[in-house]
Amino acid sequence: MKDIVVRDLAKTEREWMLIYALYSSNIGSDVFTREDLLTKYADSNRKTIIRIKNLTNNIRRMVRANQIKFINDDEMLLTTNGKEV
């Protein structure tokens, strides 16, 4: 993930969140949580108050775009669309 940060490969916040979800979910094999995403923000030194405040809205947009889906109140999965972006 450090290489992605250094090379600034992700351009939008949703792209960053998909990368965090991929890393948190073992490339889409496992579930991940909001806390996992927060940890990845900190790990990549991209954690800011504004980004964290917008996290819920970005998650909602990703659900509407069929990139992630909730399997219960806390855990999410990457969909096929989310893995392909």
Side-chain angles (χ1 to χ4, degrees):
M1 190 166 67
K2 184 177 180 178
D3 188 47
I4 294 168
V5 174
V6 170
R7 294 175 54 197
D8 197 30
L9 295 178
K11 299 301 178 194
T12 67
E13 202 57 37
R14 282 176 51 189
E15 287 176 351
W16 278 109
M17 289 179 62
L18 284 170
I19 290 167
Y20 297 155
L22 280 167
Y23 276 90
S24 296
S25 67
N26 193 24
I27 313 299
S29 299
D30 301 323
V31 298
F32 63 96
T33 65
R34 178 185 169 89
E35 289 302 316
D36 293 329
L37 297 177
L38 290 171
T39 299
K40 295 300 179 197
Y41 271 102
D43 291 349
S44 64
N45 288 329
R46 296 189 68 255
K47 186 175 180 178
T48 65
I49 293 170
I50 292 171
R51 287 185 178 127
I52 300 313
K53 284 183 178 181
N54 287 325
L55 186 61
T56 299
N57 288 331
N58 286 325
I59 289 172
R60 283 186 195 138
R61 289 183 188 117
M62 293 169 70
V63 169
R64 278 189 237 128
N66 195 32
Q67 294 172 318
I68 61 174
K69 69 177 185 175
F70 278 89
I71 58 169
N72 59 42
D73 288 344
D74 298 318
E75 297 176 319
M76 298 170 263
L77 285 172
L78 275 169
T79 64
T80 303
N81 288 344
K83 293 176 192 175
E84 292 175 355
V85 176

